[in-house]
Amino acid sequence: MPRSSRSPGDPGALLEDVAHNPRPRRIAQRGRNTSRMAEDTSPNMTWFTCFACSLRTQAQQVLFNTCRCKLLCQKLMEKTGILLLCAFGFWMFSIHLPSKMKVWQDDSINGPLQSLRLYQEKVRHHSGEIQDLRGSMNQLIAKLQEMEAMSDEQKMAQKIMKMIHGDYIEKPDFALKSIGASIDFEHTSATYNHEKAHSYWNWIQLWNYAQPPDVILEPNVTPGNCWAFEGDRGQVTIQLAQKVYLSNVTLQHIPKTISLSGSLDTAPKDFVIYGMEGSPKEEVFLGAFQFQPENIIQMFPLQNQQARAFGAVKVKISSNWGNPGFTCLYRVRVHGSVAPPREQPHQNPYPERD
C-alpha cells in the first residue's frame, strides 16, 4: 500500500507507521522509557549510565565476535572431519586394492609368465644343442678341407704306409735275421759313430746308441732304427740263411713325412748288387740300380740273373741324396727260390706255316 504524503509530525502518520512496523514502535517506546529514566535520574547518574552502555556495547561486540568464531570453528571442524574421512577412505582403499590387484595378477599374469619361462628354458636347451651341432659341423668341415688340401705326396705316403703295414712285397725274404741271416762284418763298412749317439758319465762311455748293421735284417722300420756308415760310399755283406737262386732285391726307407729332419738326403742313391760264393768269396755282378726316396719301398729285378745259387749278397752303395756326413740304410730284402727256376720253353719267333 503506498504511503501517504503526511508529514512526519502528524500523529495519524505515526500511528499508521507503528501499526505497519512494530520495531520502530519498540524503538520509540524504548526511547520514551529512556527519556523518562533520564528525567527521573539525577544528573549524577549520567556518567554511570554511559559507562554501563559502553560496557554493554562491548559485551555485545565480544559476544558477537565469539559467536562468529564458534561458527567459523564449527565449519572448520566439519570440513576437517570430511577431509579426515576422505583420507581414511583413501587409506583403506590403498590397503585393500593392491591385495586384490595381486590376486588378479596371480590369476591372469602368472600363468603366461610361467609358460614364457618354460619356453625360454626350451629355447636355451635347443640353443645349446644347436651350438654343439655347429661345433661338430665346423670340425667336420675343417677335416674335409684338410683332406682336400692334402698334397699328392702326402696321399702317396699314406698309401705306401698302408701297403707297408699290409706287407706289400709278397715274396719270401731270405735276408731276415729271424730265419738265420746274418752280417759278414769282414766285408762290411764300419758303423758311423757320432758323439750324439754315445752316453757318457765322467768321460766314461756307458752306452752307444748307434745301430749295428744287422738292424737292416729286421722288419722294424722306424725313424732312427737304421744302420749308418760314414760318407756316401759303403757296403754291407749279408750271409743268407741258405743258398738261394736270386731274383730280386728290395730296399726300404722311411717316408719324408715322418723324417725328423724333414728331408731324405741320407737315403742311398746309386748301388750295385753282387752275388758271393766260395772261399775266397767270388763276386758276381748281378745289377746296378738307383733308389728313389719318394718311393720308400722299391723292388729291383736282378739284371744278370745266374743259373746258380748264392749263399751271400753284397750291397755296395756309391752315393746318397746329398748328405756328406753319413748314409742310412733301413732294410734290405733278398728274394729268390731254393729250387732252381724252371727254364722257359724256347718259342719260335716265326709262326709255323700249315
Side-chain angles (χ1 to χ4, degrees), residues 111-173:
L113 285 177
Q114 189 69 19
S115 300
L116 183 60
R117 291 193 188 97
L118 292 175
Y119 180 74
Q120 289 177 348
E121 291 296 330
K122 290 181 180 179
V123 168
R124 291 195 190 112
H125 179 69
H126 291 304
S127 298
E129 291 181 351
I130 291 172
Q131 291 294 333
D132 294 339
L133 289 174
R134 184 177 295 175
S136 301
M137 288 295 296
N138 290 335
Q139 292 179 359
L140 182 59
I141 291 172
K143 289 182 180 179
L144 290 175
Q145 291 177 351
E146 184 179 356
M147 291 177 64
E148 290 178 358
M150 187 182 296
S151 63
D152 295 337
E153 182 179 354
Q154 290 174 330
K155 291 179 181 178
M156 185 179 296
Q158 289 183 356
K159 188 181 294 185
I160 291 173
M161 289 300 294
K162 290 180 181 178
M163 291 163 59
I164 292 172
H165 290 301
D167 195 6
Y168 171 69
I169 305 298
E170 296 181 352
K171 288 181 177 293
D173 181 13

Short mmCIF file of all heavy atoms in Angstrom, two decimals, residues 111-173:
data_model
loop_
_atom_site.label_atom_id
_atom_site.label_comp_id
_atom_site.label_asym_id
_atom_site.label_seq_id
_atom_site.Cartn_x
_atom_site.Cartn_y
_atom_site.Cartn_z
N GLY A 111 50.20 -67.28 -14.98
CA GLY A 111 50.06 -68.37 -15.96
C GLY A 111 50.88 -68.10 -17.22
O GLY A 111 51.75 -68.90 -17.60
N PRO A 112 50.68 -66.96 -17.88
CA PRO A 112 51.51 -66.65 -19.06
C PRO A 112 52.99 -66.52 -18.73
O PRO A 112 53.84 -66.91 -19.54
CB PRO A 112 50.92 -65.32 -19.55
CG PRO A 112 49.53 -65.32 -19.05
CD PRO A 112 49.57 -66.02 -17.75
N LEU A 113 53.34 -65.96 -17.53
CA LEU A 113 54.74 -65.84 -17.18
C LEU A 113 55.38 -67.22 -17.01
O LEU A 113 56.53 -67.43 -17.44
CB LEU A 113 54.88 -65.05 -15.87
CG LEU A 113 54.66 -63.53 -15.97
CD1 LEU A 113 54.75 -62.90 -14.60
CD2 LEU A 113 55.69 -62.91 -16.91
N GLN A 114 54.66 -68.14 -16.39
CA GLN A 114 55.19 -69.50 -16.26
C GLN A 114 55.41 -70.14 -17.62
O GLN A 114 56.43 -70.80 -17.87
CB GLN A 114 54.23 -70.34 -15.40
CG GLN A 114 54.79 -71.70 -15.01
CD GLN A 114 55.92 -71.59 -14.02
OE1 GLN A 114 56.06 -70.57 -13.36
NE2 GLN A 114 56.73 -72.63 -13.92
N SER A 115 54.46 -69.97 -18.52
CA SER A 115 54.61 -70.51 -19.87
C SER A 115 55.80 -69.89 -20.58
O SER A 115 56.55 -70.56 -21.29
CB SER A 115 53.33 -70.27 -20.67
OG SER A 115 52.22 -70.89 -20.04
N LEU A 116 55.99 -68.56 -20.38
CA LEU A 116 57.12 -67.88 -21.01
C LEU A 116 58.45 -68.39 -20.46
O LEU A 116 59.41 -68.58 -21.22
CB LEU A 116 57.00 -66.36 -20.77
CG LEU A 116 58.06 -65.48 -21.42
CD1 LEU A 116 58.04 -65.64 -22.93
CD2 LEU A 116 57.84 -64.01 -21.05
N ARG A 117 58.51 -68.64 -19.14
CA ARG A 117 59.75 -69.18 -18.57
C ARG A 117 60.05 -70.58 -19.12
O ARG A 117 61.21 -70.90 -19.43
CB ARG A 117 59.63 -69.24 -17.04
CG ARG A 117 59.61 -67.86 -16.38
CD ARG A 117 59.80 -67.98 -14.86
NE ARG A 117 59.61 -66.70 -14.21
CZ ARG A 117 58.50 -66.30 -13.63
NH1 ARG A 117 57.43 -67.08 -13.63
NH2 ARG A 117 58.43 -65.11 -13.05
N LEU A 118 59.02 -71.41 -19.21
CA LEU A 118 59.24 -72.74 -19.79
C LEU A 118 59.72 -72.65 -21.23
O LEU A 118 60.62 -73.39 -21.66
CB LEU A 118 57.94 -73.55 -19.71
CG LEU A 118 57.48 -73.94 -18.29
CD1 LEU A 118 56.12 -74.62 -18.36
CD2 LEU A 118 58.49 -74.86 -17.63
N TYR A 119 59.15 -71.72 -21.98
CA TYR A 119 59.57 -71.54 -23.37
C TYR A 119 61.02 -71.07 -23.45
O TYR A 119 61.79 -71.54 -24.29
CB TYR A 119 58.64 -70.53 -24.03
CG TYR A 119 58.97 -70.26 -25.48
CD1 TYR A 119 58.68 -71.20 -26.47
CD2 TYR A 119 59.58 -69.07 -25.85
CE1 TYR A 119 59.00 -70.96 -27.79
CE2 TYR A 119 59.89 -68.82 -27.17
CZ TYR A 119 59.60 -69.76 -28.15
OH TYR A 119 59.91 -69.51 -29.44
N GLN A 120 61.41 -70.15 -22.53
CA GLN A 120 62.79 -69.69 -22.51
C GLN A 120 63.75 -70.82 -22.18
O GLN A 120 64.84 -70.93 -22.77
CB GLN A 120 62.95 -68.55 -21.50
CG GLN A 120 62.29 -67.25 -21.94
CD GLN A 120 62.41 -66.16 -20.89
OE1 GLN A 120 62.78 -66.44 -19.75
NE2 GLN A 120 62.08 -64.94 -21.26
N GLU A 121 63.38 -71.69 -21.23
CA GLU A 121 64.23 -72.83 -20.90
C GLU A 121 64.39 -73.76 -22.10
O GLU A 121 65.49 -74.25 -22.39
CB GLU A 121 63.64 -73.60 -19.72
CG GLU A 121 63.70 -72.86 -18.39
CD GLU A 121 65.13 -72.61 -17.93
OE1 GLU A 121 65.99 -73.45 -18.27
OE2 GLU A 121 65.37 -71.60 -17.26
N LYS A 122 63.30 -74.00 -22.81
CA LYS A 122 63.39 -74.85 -24.01
C LYS A 122 64.28 -74.22 -25.07
O LYS A 122 65.08 -74.90 -25.72
CB LYS A 122 61.99 -75.10 -24.57
CG LYS A 122 61.13 -76.00 -23.69
CD LYS A 122 59.77 -76.23 -24.33
CE LYS A 122 58.90 -77.15 -23.45
NZ LYS A 122 57.56 -77.36 -24.06
N VAL A 123 64.15 -72.90 -25.22
CA VAL A 123 64.97 -72.20 -26.22
C VAL A 123 66.45 -72.30 -25.85
O VAL A 123 67.31 -72.54 -26.71
CB VAL A 123 64.53 -70.73 -26.33
CG1 VAL A 123 65.53 -69.92 -27.13
CG2 VAL A 123 63.16 -70.64 -26.99
N ARG A 124 66.77 -72.13 -24.54
CA ARG A 124 68.17 -72.26 -24.11
C ARG A 124 68.69 -73.68 -24.37
O ARG A 124 69.82 -73.86 -24.83
CB ARG A 124 68.28 -71.93 -22.62
CG ARG A 124 68.05 -70.46 -22.30
CD ARG A 124 68.53 -70.13 -20.90
NE ARG A 124 68.10 -68.78 -20.52
CZ ARG A 124 67.22 -68.50 -19.59
NH1 ARG A 124 66.65 -69.49 -18.92
NH2 ARG A 124 66.88 -67.26 -19.31
N HIS A 125 67.88 -74.68 -24.05
CA HIS A 125 68.30 -76.06 -24.26
C HIS A 125 68.57 -76.33 -25.74
O HIS A 125 69.62 -76.88 -26.10
CB HIS A 125 67.22 -76.99 -23.73
CG HIS A 125 67.54 -78.45 -23.92
ND1 HIS A 125 68.55 -79.08 -23.23
CD2 HIS A 125 66.97 -79.39 -24.73
CE1 HIS A 125 68.61 -80.35 -23.61
NE2 HIS A 125 67.66 -80.56 -24.50
N HIS A 126 67.63 -75.91 -26.59
CA HIS A 126 67.83 -76.12 -28.02
C HIS A 126 68.98 -75.30 -28.56
O HIS A 126 69.68 -75.74 -29.49
CB HIS A 126 66.54 -75.80 -28.78
CG HIS A 126 65.42 -76.78 -28.51
ND1 HIS A 126 65.57 -78.14 -28.71
CD2 HIS A 126 64.16 -76.61 -28.03
CE1 HIS A 126 64.44 -78.77 -28.40
NE2 HIS A 126 63.58 -77.86 -27.96
N SER A 127 69.22 -74.12 -27.98
CA SER A 127 70.35 -73.30 -28.41
C SER A 127 71.66 -74.02 -28.10
O SER A 127 72.59 -74.03 -28.92
CB SER A 127 70.33 -71.94 -27.72
OG SER A 127 69.15 -71.23 -28.07
N GLY A 128 71.75 -74.65 -26.92
CA GLY A 128 72.95 -75.42 -26.60
C GLY A 128 73.17 -76.58 -27.57
O GLY A 128 74.29 -76.83 -28.02
N GLU A 129 72.09 -77.29 -27.90
CA GLU A 129 72.21 -78.39 -28.86
C GLU A 129 72.65 -77.87 -30.23
O GLU A 129 73.48 -78.49 -30.91
CB GLU A 129 70.88 -79.11 -28.98
CG GLU A 129 70.50 -79.89 -27.72
CD GLU A 129 69.19 -80.63 -27.88
OE1 GLU A 129 68.51 -80.39 -28.91
OE2 GLU A 129 68.84 -81.44 -27.01
N ILE A 130 72.11 -76.71 -30.63
CA ILE A 130 72.49 -76.14 -31.93
C ILE A 130 73.96 -75.75 -31.92
O ILE A 130 74.68 -75.97 -32.91
CB ILE A 130 71.59 -74.93 -32.25
CG1 ILE A 130 70.15 -75.42 -32.53
CG2 ILE A 130 72.13 -74.16 -33.45
CD1 ILE A 130 69.15 -74.30 -32.67
N GLN A 131 74.45 -75.18 -30.79
CA GLN A 131 75.86 -74.82 -30.71
C GLN A 131 76.74 -76.06 -30.80
O GLN A 131 77.80 -76.05 -31.47
CB GLN A 131 76.12 -74.07 -29.39
CG GLN A 131 75.50 -72.68 -29.32
CD GLN A 131 76.12 -71.72 -30.31
OE1 GLN A 131 77.27 -71.88 -30.70
NE2 GLN A 131 75.35 -70.74 -30.73
N ASP A 132 76.35 -77.14 -30.13
CA ASP A 132 77.13 -78.38 -30.21
C ASP A 132 77.16 -78.91 -31.64
O ASP A 132 78.22 -79.33 -32.14
CB ASP A 132 76.55 -79.43 -29.26
CG ASP A 132 76.68 -79.03 -27.80
OD1 ASP A 132 77.53 -78.17 -27.51
OD2 ASP A 132 75.90 -79.54 -26.97
N LEU A 133 76.01 -78.91 -32.30
CA LEU A 133 75.97 -79.37 -33.68
C LEU A 133 76.82 -78.49 -34.58
O LEU A 133 77.51 -78.97 -35.49
CB LEU A 133 74.52 -79.39 -34.17
CG LEU A 133 73.62 -80.48 -33.57
CD1 LEU A 133 72.19 -80.29 -34.04
CD2 LEU A 133 74.12 -81.87 -33.94
N ARG A 134 76.77 -77.18 -34.32
CA ARG A 134 77.58 -76.27 -35.13
C ARG A 134 79.06 -76.54 -34.93
O ARG A 134 79.85 -76.52 -35.88
CB ARG A 134 77.24 -74.83 -34.75
CG ARG A 134 77.95 -73.78 -35.61
CD ARG A 134 77.50 -72.38 -35.21
NE ARG A 134 76.09 -72.20 -35.50
CZ ARG A 134 75.42 -71.10 -35.16
NH1 ARG A 134 76.03 -70.12 -34.51
NH2 ARG A 134 74.14 -71.00 -35.45
N GLY A 135 79.49 -76.80 -33.66
CA GLY A 135 80.88 -77.13 -33.42
C GLY A 135 81.30 -78.41 -34.13
O GLY A 135 82.39 -78.48 -34.72
N SER A 136 80.43 -79.42 -34.08
CA SER A 136 80.74 -80.67 -34.78
C SER A 136 80.83 -80.46 -36.28
O SER A 136 81.73 -81.01 -36.95
CB SER A 136 79.67 -81.72 -34.45
OG SER A 136 79.60 -81.96 -33.05
N MET A 137 79.92 -79.65 -36.81
CA MET A 137 79.96 -79.37 -38.25
C MET A 137 81.23 -78.63 -38.63
O MET A 137 81.85 -78.91 -39.67
CB MET A 137 78.73 -78.55 -38.64
CG MET A 137 77.43 -79.34 -38.63
SD MET A 137 77.41 -80.65 -39.88
CE MET A 137 77.49 -79.69 -41.38
N ASN A 138 81.65 -77.69 -37.79
CA ASN A 138 82.89 -76.94 -38.09
C ASN A 138 84.09 -77.87 -38.07
O ASN A 138 84.99 -77.77 -38.93
CB ASN A 138 83.07 -75.82 -37.08
CG ASN A 138 82.05 -74.71 -37.25
OD1 ASN A 138 81.52 -74.51 -38.35
ND2 ASN A 138 81.77 -73.97 -36.19
N GLN A 139 84.13 -78.79 -37.10
CA GLN A 139 85.24 -79.75 -37.07
C GLN A 139 85.23 -80.64 -38.30
O GLN A 139 86.28 -80.90 -38.90
CB GLN A 139 85.15 -80.60 -35.80
CG GLN A 139 85.41 -79.82 -34.52
CD GLN A 139 85.29 -80.70 -33.29
OE1 GLN A 139 84.98 -81.89 -33.40
NE2 GLN A 139 85.52 -80.12 -32.12
N LEU A 140 84.05 -81.09 -38.70
CA LEU A 140 83.96 -81.94 -39.88
C LEU A 140 84.38 -81.19 -41.13
O LEU A 140 85.11 -81.71 -41.98
CB LEU A 140 82.52 -82.45 -40.03
CG LEU A 140 82.25 -83.40 -41.20
CD1 LEU A 140 83.11 -84.65 -41.10
CD2 LEU A 140 80.77 -83.78 -41.24
N ILE A 141 83.94 -79.92 -41.24
CA ILE A 141 84.33 -79.11 -42.40
C ILE A 141 85.84 -78.90 -42.42
O ILE A 141 86.48 -78.96 -43.47
CB ILE A 141 83.57 -77.77 -42.38
CG1 ILE A 141 82.08 -78.02 -42.65
CG2 ILE A 141 84.14 -76.82 -43.40
CD1 ILE A 141 81.22 -76.79 -42.47
N ALA A 142 86.43 -78.64 -41.22
CA ALA A 142 87.88 -78.44 -41.16
C ALA A 142 88.62 -79.70 -41.60
O ALA A 142 89.62 -79.63 -42.33
CB ALA A 142 88.28 -78.05 -39.74
N LYS A 143 88.14 -80.88 -41.17
CA LYS A 143 88.79 -82.12 -41.59
C LYS A 143 88.65 -82.35 -43.09
O LYS A 143 89.61 -82.77 -43.75
CB LYS A 143 88.18 -83.30 -40.83
CG LYS A 143 88.56 -83.33 -39.36
CD LYS A 143 87.97 -84.54 -38.66
CE LYS A 143 88.35 -84.58 -37.19
NZ LYS A 143 87.75 -85.75 -36.49
N LEU A 144 87.47 -82.04 -43.63
CA LEU A 144 87.29 -82.20 -45.07
C LEU A 144 88.21 -81.25 -45.84
O LEU A 144 88.81 -81.63 -46.86
CB LEU A 144 85.83 -81.94 -45.44
CG LEU A 144 84.82 -83.01 -44.97
CD1 LEU A 144 83.40 -82.57 -45.29
CD2 LEU A 144 85.11 -84.34 -45.65
N GLN A 145 88.31 -80.01 -45.37
CA GLN A 145 89.21 -79.06 -46.03
C GLN A 145 90.65 -79.51 -45.93
O GLN A 145 91.43 -79.35 -46.88
CB GLN A 145 89.03 -77.67 -45.41
CG GLN A 145 87.70 -77.02 -45.73
CD GLN A 145 87.53 -75.69 -45.04
OE1 GLN A 145 88.34 -75.31 -44.18
NE2 GLN A 145 86.49 -74.95 -45.39
N GLU A 146 91.02 -80.07 -44.76
CA GLU A 146 92.39 -80.56 -44.61
C GLU A 146 92.65 -81.73 -45.55
O GLU A 146 93.73 -81.82 -46.16
CB GLU A 146 92.61 -80.99 -43.17
CG GLU A 146 94.03 -81.44 -42.87
CD GLU A 146 94.19 -81.82 -41.42
OE1 GLU A 146 93.21 -81.66 -40.65
OE2 GLU A 146 95.29 -82.28 -41.06
N MET A 147 91.66 -82.60 -45.72
CA MET A 147 91.84 -83.72 -46.66
C MET A 147 91.93 -83.23 -48.09
O MET A 147 92.71 -83.75 -48.90
CB MET A 147 90.68 -84.70 -46.49
CG MET A 147 90.69 -85.45 -45.16
SD MET A 147 89.28 -86.53 -44.96
CE MET A 147 89.57 -87.71 -46.28
N GLU A 148 91.12 -82.21 -48.42
CA GLU A 148 91.19 -81.68 -49.78
C GLU A 148 92.51 -80.99 -50.05
O GLU A 148 93.04 -81.01 -51.16
CB GLU A 148 90.03 -80.71 -50.00
CG GLU A 148 88.67 -81.39 -50.06
CD GLU A 148 87.55 -80.38 -50.22
OE1 GLU A 148 87.85 -79.17 -50.23
OE2 GLU A 148 86.38 -80.80 -50.34
N ALA A 149 93.05 -80.31 -49.00
CA ALA A 149 94.31 -79.59 -49.18
C ALA A 149 95.53 -80.50 -49.12
O ALA A 149 96.66 -80.04 -49.34
CB ALA A 149 94.45 -78.50 -48.11
N MET A 150 95.33 -81.74 -48.78
CA MET A 150 96.47 -82.65 -48.68
C MET A 150 97.11 -82.83 -50.06
O MET A 150 96.43 -83.01 -51.06
CB MET A 150 96.00 -84.00 -48.14
CG MET A 150 97.14 -84.97 -47.86
SD MET A 150 96.52 -86.56 -47.27
CE MET A 150 95.76 -86.07 -45.74
N SER A 151 98.42 -82.73 -50.10
CA SER A 151 99.14 -82.83 -51.37
C SER A 151 99.16 -84.28 -51.86
O SER A 151 98.91 -85.23 -51.11
CB SER A 151 100.57 -82.31 -51.21
OG SER A 151 101.27 -83.11 -50.28
N ASP A 152 99.49 -84.41 -53.13
CA ASP A 152 99.60 -85.75 -53.72
C ASP A 152 100.71 -86.56 -53.05
O ASP A 152 100.61 -87.78 -52.91
CB ASP A 152 99.86 -85.63 -55.21
CG ASP A 152 98.69 -85.01 -55.94
OD1 ASP A 152 97.56 -85.07 -55.41
OD2 ASP A 152 98.91 -84.46 -57.04
N GLU A 153 101.76 -85.86 -52.59
CA GLU A 153 102.86 -86.56 -51.95
C GLU A 153 102.42 -87.19 -50.63
O GLU A 153 102.76 -88.33 -50.33
CB GLU A 153 104.00 -85.57 -51.71
CG GLU A 153 105.23 -86.21 -51.09
CD GLU A 153 106.34 -85.20 -50.89
OE1 GLU A 153 106.18 -84.05 -51.35
OE2 GLU A 153 107.35 -85.57 -50.28
N GLN A 154 101.62 -86.43 -49.88
CA GLN A 154 101.13 -86.97 -48.61
C GLN A 154 100.17 -88.14 -48.85
O GLN A 154 100.20 -89.14 -48.13
CB GLN A 154 100.44 -85.87 -47.81
CG GLN A 154 101.40 -84.82 -47.27
CD GLN A 154 100.68 -83.67 -46.62
OE1 GLN A 154 99.57 -83.34 -47.00
NE2 GLN A 154 101.32 -83.06 -45.64
N LYS A 155 99.32 -88.01 -49.85
CA LYS A 155 98.43 -89.11 -50.17
C LYS A 155 99.21 -90.35 -50.57
O LYS A 155 98.89 -91.47 -50.16
CB LYS A 155 97.47 -88.70 -51.29
CG LYS A 155 96.45 -87.63 -50.88
CD LYS A 155 95.56 -87.27 -52.05
CE LYS A 155 94.56 -86.20 -51.66
NZ LYS A 155 93.71 -85.80 -52.79
N MET A 156 100.25 -90.11 -51.34
CA MET A 156 101.08 -91.25 -51.77
C MET A 156 101.79 -91.88 -50.57
O MET A 156 101.88 -93.11 -50.46
CB MET A 156 102.11 -90.77 -52.80
CG MET A 156 102.95 -91.88 -53.40
SD MET A 156 104.12 -91.24 -54.62
CE MET A 156 102.98 -90.61 -55.84
N ALA A 157 102.28 -91.03 -49.66
CA ALA A 157 102.97 -91.56 -48.49
C ALA A 157 102.01 -92.38 -47.63
O ALA A 157 102.37 -93.46 -47.13
CB ALA A 157 103.56 -90.41 -47.67
N GLN A 158 100.79 -91.88 -47.46
CA GLN A 158 99.80 -92.65 -46.69
C GLN A 158 99.48 -93.97 -47.38
O GLN A 158 99.36 -95.01 -46.72
CB GLN A 158 98.53 -91.82 -46.51
CG GLN A 158 98.70 -90.65 -45.55
CD GLN A 158 97.41 -89.90 -45.36
OE1 GLN A 158 96.40 -90.20 -46.00
NE2 GLN A 158 97.43 -88.92 -44.48
N LYS A 159 99.35 -93.93 -48.67
CA LYS A 159 99.06 -95.16 -49.40
C LYS A 159 100.21 -96.16 -49.26
O LYS A 159 100.00 -97.36 -49.06
CB LYS A 159 98.82 -94.84 -50.88
CG LYS A 159 98.33 -96.01 -51.69
CD LYS A 159 98.16 -95.61 -53.15
CE LYS A 159 97.05 -94.57 -53.31
NZ LYS A 159 96.80 -94.26 -54.72
N ILE A 160 101.43 -95.64 -49.30
CA ILE A 160 102.60 -96.52 -49.17
C ILE A 160 102.67 -97.11 -47.78
O ILE A 160 102.99 -98.30 -47.59
CB ILE A 160 103.88 -95.75 -49.53
CG1 ILE A 160 103.89 -95.43 -51.03
CG2 ILE A 160 105.12 -96.54 -49.15
CD1 ILE A 160 105.02 -94.53 -51.46
N MET A 161 102.37 -96.27 -46.77
CA MET A 161 102.39 -96.79 -45.40
C MET A 161 101.35 -97.90 -45.22
O MET A 161 101.61 -98.90 -44.56
CB MET A 161 102.13 -95.65 -44.41
CG MET A 161 103.29 -94.67 -44.29
SD MET A 161 104.82 -95.43 -43.73
CE MET A 161 104.36 -95.92 -42.08
N LYS A 162 100.18 -97.72 -45.81
CA LYS A 162 99.18 -98.78 -45.77
C LYS A 162 99.69 -100.05 -46.44
O LYS A 162 99.48 -101.16 -45.96
CB LYS A 162 97.88 -98.31 -46.42
CG LYS A 162 97.14 -97.24 -45.63
CD LYS A 162 95.87 -96.83 -46.34
CE LYS A 162 95.13 -95.75 -45.55
NZ LYS A 162 93.90 -95.31 -46.27
N MET A 163 100.38 -99.85 -47.57
CA MET A 163 100.93 -101.01 -48.27
C MET A 163 102.01 -101.70 -47.44
O MET A 163 102.12 -102.94 -47.43
CB MET A 163 101.49 -100.56 -49.62
CG MET A 163 100.41 -100.12 -50.60
SD MET A 163 101.05 -99.14 -51.97
CE MET A 163 102.20 -100.27 -52.67
N ILE A 164 102.79 -100.89 -46.70
CA ILE A 164 103.84 -101.49 -45.86
C ILE A 164 103.23 -102.31 -44.75
O ILE A 164 103.66 -103.44 -44.47
CB ILE A 164 104.75 -100.38 -45.30
CG1 ILE A 164 105.54 -99.73 -46.43
CG2 ILE A 164 105.69 -100.93 -44.24
CD1 ILE A 164 106.31 -98.51 -46.00
N HIS A 165 102.25 -101.73 -44.09
CA HIS A 165 101.63 -102.47 -43.00
C HIS A 165 100.94 -103.75 -43.50
O HIS A 165 100.78 -104.70 -42.76
CB HIS A 165 100.61 -101.58 -42.27
CG HIS A 165 101.26 -100.48 -41.49
ND1 HIS A 165 102.17 -100.72 -40.49
CD2 HIS A 165 101.14 -99.13 -41.59
CE1 HIS A 165 102.57 -99.55 -39.97
NE2 HIS A 165 101.96 -98.58 -40.62
N GLY A 166 100.52 -103.73 -44.74
CA GLY A 166 99.87 -104.91 -45.30
C GLY A 166 100.84 -105.86 -45.98
O GLY A 166 100.41 -106.78 -46.67
N ASP A 167 102.18 -105.62 -45.82
CA ASP A 167 103.23 -106.46 -46.43
C ASP A 167 103.04 -106.48 -47.94
O ASP A 167 102.64 -107.48 -48.55
CB ASP A 167 103.21 -107.87 -45.86
CG ASP A 167 104.49 -108.62 -46.21
OD1 ASP A 167 105.40 -107.98 -46.79
OD2 ASP A 167 104.57 -109.82 -45.91
N TYR A 168 103.35 -105.32 -48.52
CA TYR A 168 103.15 -105.14 -49.95
C TYR A 168 103.99 -106.14 -50.77
O TYR A 168 103.55 -106.67 -51.79
CB TYR A 168 103.51 -103.70 -50.32
CG TYR A 168 103.56 -103.42 -51.79
CD1 TYR A 168 102.41 -103.43 -52.55
CD2 TYR A 168 104.78 -103.17 -52.43
CE1 TYR A 168 102.45 -103.19 -53.91
CE2 TYR A 168 104.83 -102.93 -53.78
CZ TYR A 168 103.67 -102.94 -54.51
OH TYR A 168 103.73 -102.70 -55.85
N ILE A 169 105.21 -106.38 -50.31
CA ILE A 169 106.09 -107.30 -51.03
C ILE A 169 105.71 -108.73 -50.64
O ILE A 169 106.08 -109.21 -49.56
CB ILE A 169 107.56 -107.03 -50.71
CG1 ILE A 169 107.90 -105.55 -51.01
CG2 ILE A 169 108.46 -107.95 -51.50
CD1 ILE A 169 107.73 -105.18 -52.46
N GLU A 170 104.99 -109.37 -51.48
CA GLU A 170 104.53 -110.74 -51.18
C GLU A 170 105.50 -111.75 -51.76
O GLU A 170 105.16 -112.58 -52.59
CB GLU A 170 103.12 -110.94 -51.72
CG GLU A 170 102.09 -110.04 -51.04
CD GLU A 170 100.69 -110.27 -51.58
OE1 GLU A 170 100.56 -111.02 -52.57
OE2 GLU A 170 99.75 -109.70 -51.01
N LYS A 171 106.75 -111.67 -51.27
CA LYS A 171 107.80 -112.61 -51.68
C LYS A 171 108.58 -113.02 -50.43
O LYS A 171 108.74 -112.22 -49.51
CB LYS A 171 108.74 -111.97 -52.70
CG LYS A 171 108.12 -111.79 -54.08
CD LYS A 171 109.14 -111.17 -55.04
CE LYS A 171 108.57 -111.06 -56.44
NZ LYS A 171 108.34 -112.39 -57.07
N PRO A 172 109.09 -114.24 -50.42
CA PRO A 172 109.89 -114.66 -49.27
C PRO A 172 111.18 -113.87 -49.18
O PRO A 172 111.82 -113.57 -50.19
CB PRO A 172 110.15 -116.15 -49.53
CG PRO A 172 109.98 -116.31 -51.00
CD PRO A 172 108.95 -115.31 -51.42
N ASP A 173 111.53 -113.49 -47.94
CA ASP A 173 112.74 -112.70 -47.70
C ASP A 173 113.77 -113.61 -47.05
O ASP A 173 113.62 -114.04 -45.90
CB ASP A 173 112.40 -111.51 -46.79
CG ASP A 173 113.59 -110.64 -46.51
OD1 ASP A 173 114.62 -110.80 -47.20
OD2 ASP A 173 113.50 -109.77 -45.60
#
